[in-house]
Amino acid sequence: METLSIALPALSEAIGLISQPIVLGYLVLGVVMGLSIGVFPGLGGIAGLSLLLPFMFGMDPVLGLALMIGMVAVVPTSDTFASVLMGIPGSSASQATVLDGFPMAKKGEAARALSAAFASSLFGGLVGATFLTVFILIARPLVLAFGLPEMLMVTILGLSMVAILAGRVVWKGLAAAGLGLMVGTIGEADAGGSLRMATYDLPYLTDGLKLVIVGLGIFAVPEIVSLLRQDSSISKSATLGSGWMEGVRDWFRNIWLSMRCSIIGVMVGVIPGLGGSVVDWISYGHAVQTTKDKSQFGKGEIRGIVGPESSNNAKEGGGLVPTLLFVIGLIGIFLRRFDWSRPAFLIGFVLSNPAETFTNQAYQIAASRFRKSFEEGIDYIFSPIVIVLLIVTALSVFFGLRQAKMLQAEGDVKSGSKRAPVTFLLVVTAYLAVAVINASFIPNYAFTDKVFPLFAGSVALVCCLILVFQMMMKPEADVIFADKEAQGEDADAPHGLWSTLAWFAGLLALSALFGFIIALALFPVSFFRVRAQVSWTKAVLLAACGIGFMLVMAGALNRDFPPGLLQSLVDLLWPLT
């Protein structure tokens, strides 16, 4: 009762403050800014806040808070534009939306997908706000009940969604997830600072790869290359298509799914250290598991949008960037070509860091508890919450593996010859072997830096070796040799894969010599004129508009462009620095 006597007057006072017209005005201004920033992949809440901070000094605290809340709150909604229209995860909160949103856009149903996503996100936000307001009094003991073992189990539950998204060949999906986990360990370890598959000669790698780079490389670059080869656009129609109200009706037909996923978002969102990176995939997996006809997931199933979008709103630089975007785009192209699960790879990458962090921290605390007594150690590891999550994870894996073959995220990919799929598998196996050997060289005094990559890499290697054995035994017609170049849009494309990639290799070469911004001035003009065969005037105009926009954004964010050999020899002014 004492807590209620304090909380209720505070809630009443807060409602009175935000009801003032000037506060609502700043809230709306923040929403507009958040929508404007969130549509660009990689420019999330942090970038938006960095733009706002210079204008907030001396501002009334209530007005400043309204401005910031308005902006940050809508980022998980606005990044849906990039996920649906371009197939690019705008942030970790919109990863799963790509799987069904982008296929709907390619079918001319972008408006339907966007409206369903916005309605779900709005509903999820309202449910989240309501639950957190009503249950704020019990939130503290609930949050405190989640220690490191519990947070590790929630992360593992997110990883278990790989079982659902593994595809027709389960070992490919597991190997793809393992590859994602290992790519996620690149850089400096959090625990002891050991370098893994990185060197201080390449400082960008020491910080690890960023989600926006991996998301663009795995999802966007392969689709862009495919479209360039076919000389076609994302959709046959240049418009968003009809279906704005149909999307709202889709949400209403699935309102109970939206409610359940909103509650999932609330439950995961209140746990410190977790959030969009986990809840998106848990919600997507729940949507798949509770749908009778699973064959349309990954091809444009509306429930694959409603689930993640309901949950994501309820929880609420460097010189090698171009190279990494395209040393990752190439991986994405071949994952797509040979029917390896790109969502499984992204799940592994996104959850790699939290899985390693929680594992190391839980191990250290558990070790100290076991030194006191065996019973205390067991009680710490196997708490009631951990046991429940273990059961849920086991059930998720069991049913997920049974349902995985029904999901064909890349479509019905036909089988080709053995040579190309086997070659790609051997390259992946070689990388995993090198990464495991690299981790084994970490000194024993930094044991916590080596145990996770050794375990994840070894499991992924076993999956790859099983695939090697299966490819040796199975005929060429088997689905394990799926290859988009054998039959379909890619096989019939007027432009070859390697000739298209040569254009991007040229961009990288120009960037290395003259710097990114100069290369970007030369590349689009050449590409538009030679490949797209547009007039010189149109080519120069399109290139100028694109570069001008990039300069404005870089100036606003105070960013430099990646330099090249020219910049190391000559002192140039911005933006050529």
Side-chain angles (χ1 to χ4, degrees):
M1 290 302 294
E2 182 180 352
T3 307
L4 279 174
S5 65
I6 298 174
L8 291 179
L11 180 61
S12 177
E13 184 179 355
I15 293 174
L17 284 174
I18 64 173
S19 300
Q20 299 176 35
I22 188 171
V23 177
L24 290 175
Y26 274 90
L27 191 66
V28 171
L29 179 61
V31 169
V32 173
M33 294 181 67
L35 289 172
S36 302
I37 291 171
V39 295
F40 300 109
L43 293 183
I46 301 299
L49 287 176
S50 66
L51 289 174
L52 280 181
L53 284 177
F55 302 98
M56 295 183 61
F57 288 105
M59 184 182 292
D60 180 89
V62 175
L63 301 181
L65 188 62
L67 189 64
M68 288 193 295
I69 290 176
M71 191 203 70
V72 174
V74 296
V75 169
T77 300
S78 56
D79 61 18
T80 304
F81 281 105
S83 299
V84 172
L85 298 180
M86 295 181 283
I88 305 170
S91 70
S92 62
S94 63
Q95 307 161 75
T97 307
V98 173
L99 302 187
D100 290 288
F102 188 56
M104 289 184 70
K106 291 200 287 188
K107 294 190 293 187
E109 297 182 322
R112 179 186 173 194
L114 287 171
S115 61
F118 294 153
S120 303
S121 190
L122 171 63
F123 181 76
L126 293 174
V127 170
T130 302
F131 268 75
L132 292 179
T133 301
V134 173
F135 294 105
I136 194 169
L137 300 178
I138 64 170
R140 185 172 180 272
L142 177 63
V143 171
L144 292 179
F146 271 80
L148 292 170
E150 288 79 10
M151 289 192 283
L152 175 61
M153 278 310 307
V154 174
T155 305
I156 293 174
L157 177 60
L159 280 170
S160 72
M161 295 302 112
V162 169
I164 298 174
L165 300 167
R168 295 182 294 177
V169 182
V170 171
W171 297 114
K172 280 187 179 181
L174 296 178
L179 180 62
L181 284 169
M182 293 304 290
V183 171
T185 64
I186 291 176
E188 202 172 58
D190 289 341
S194 304
L195 288 181
R196 290 148 345 166
M197 296 300 287
T199 170
Y200 286 118
D201 294 331
L202 300 174
Y204 187 85
L205 285 180
T206 61
D207 286 336
L209 303 183
K210 306 304 179 187
L211 173 62
V212 65
I213 296 293
V214 176
L216 285 168
I218 293 298
F219 284 103
V221 172
E223 300 300 335
I224 290 171
V225 170
S226 177
L227 293 173
L228 289 175
R229 292 180 59 193
Q230 299 167 34
D231 284 336
S232 64
S233 59
I234 292 175
S235 174
K236 299 290 189 292
S237 171
T239 63
L240 291 177
S242 59
W244 285 102
M245 289 308 300
E246 181 63 24
V248 177
R249 287 192 287 269
D250 286 329
W251 163 77
F252 189 76
R253 281 193 290 267
N254 296 285
I255 190 169
W256 293 114
L257 171 67
S258 185
M259 173 67 79
R260 294 193 300 272
C261 290
S262 298
I263 295 174
I264 291 173
V266 172
M267 295 173 63
V268 177
V270 299
I271 303 172
L274 299 175
S277 57
V278 179
V279 71
D280 225 32
W281 293 115
I282 294 177
S283 298
Y284 188 82
H286 176 72
V288 174
Q289 290 173 335
T290 55
T291 303
K292 292 183 179 179
D293 181 12
K294 300 173 176 60
S295 62
Q296 293 305 306
F297 279 95
K299 302 177 184 177
E301 170 60 60
I302 197 68
R303 287 172 65 88
I305 298 175
V306 172
E309 287 295 328
S310 296
S311 65
N312 68 24
N313 219 30
K315 54 82 184 166
E316 265 319 55
L320 284 180
V321 169
T323 306
L324 290 171
L325 172 60
F326 290 115
V327 177
I328 301 297
L330 200 61
I331 294 174
I333 288 169
F334 289 117
L335 289 176
R336 176 183 181 272
R337 172 177 172 177
F338 299 120
D339 197 27
W340 287 53
S341 176
R342 288 184 288 169
F345 176 93
L346 192 62
I347 291 176
F349 173 79
V350 170
L351 298 183
S352 176
N353 183 259
E356 180 177 16
T357 300
F358 295 144
T359 299
N360 289 338
Q361 293 175 350
Y363 166 78
Q364 292 171 5
I365 296 177
S368 66
R369 298 288 179 92
F370 274 111
R371 281 194 290 268
K372 293 179 180 179
S373 70
F374 180 79
E375 292 78 11
E376 187 173 343
I378 288 294
D379 289 342
Y380 176 73
I381 295 176
F382 294 106
S383 68
I385 296 178
V386 169
I387 293 173
V388 171
L389 290 174
L390 272 172
I391 295 172
V392 173
T393 301
L395 291 174
S396 174
V397 172
F398 175 74
F399 289 108
L401 291 176
R402 293 182 60 185
Q403 300 164 355
K405 294 182 179 180
M406 303 179 189
L407 300 179
Q408 299 180 16
E410 306 296 350
D412 186 16
V413 184
K414 303 299 181 183
S415 301
S417 65
K418 284 190 175 185
R419 185 174 64 178
V422 169
T423 302
F424 178 66
L425 173 60
L426 292 177
V427 170
V428 172
T429 305
Y431 172 80
L432 290 171
V434 171
V436 169
I437 294 171
N438 176 265
S440 68
F441 286 147
I442 296 175
N444 286 330
Y445 63 77
F447 176 76
T448 53
D449 291 351
K450 64 191 295 185
V451 62
F452 183 82
L454 282 176
F455 175 76
S458 299
V459 172
L461 267 177
V462 169
C463 294
C464 287
L465 292 176
I466 292 174
L467 281 172
V468 170
F469 177 76
Q470 288 184 339
M471 286 185 172
M472 292 172 58
M473 304 301 296
K474 292 182 180 293
E476 285 189 347
D478 193 86
V479 294
I480 200 171
F481 298 108
D483 187 349
K484 278 184 175 287
E485 296 294 321
Q487 184 178 335
E489 292 180 342
D490 289 0
D492 300 333
H495 302 286
L497 173 61
W498 295 108
S499 62
T500 303
L501 292 178
W503 280 95
F504 292 98
L507 174 60
L508 295 180
L510 289 174
S511 298
L513 291 174
F514 304 112
F516 184 68
I517 194 65
I518 297 178
L520 206 60
L522 299 174
F523 173 79
V525 174
S526 305
F527 186 87
F528 291 144
R529 183 72 185 98
V530 177
R531 181 66 175 270
Q533 296 183 344
V534 302
S535 65
W536 280 108
T537 303
K538 188 174 182 180
V540 172
L541 183 62
L542 289 172
C545 291
I547 293 172
F549 175 76
M550 291 188 67
L551 291 177
V552 170
M553 294 300 297
L557 294 171
N558 194 26
R559 298 292 184 187
D560 292 328
F561 293 98
L565 180 63
L566 176 64
Q567 283 74 14
S568 65
L569 300 175
V570 182
D571 188 16
L572 301 173
L573 298 175
W574 192 90
L576 304 180
T577 50

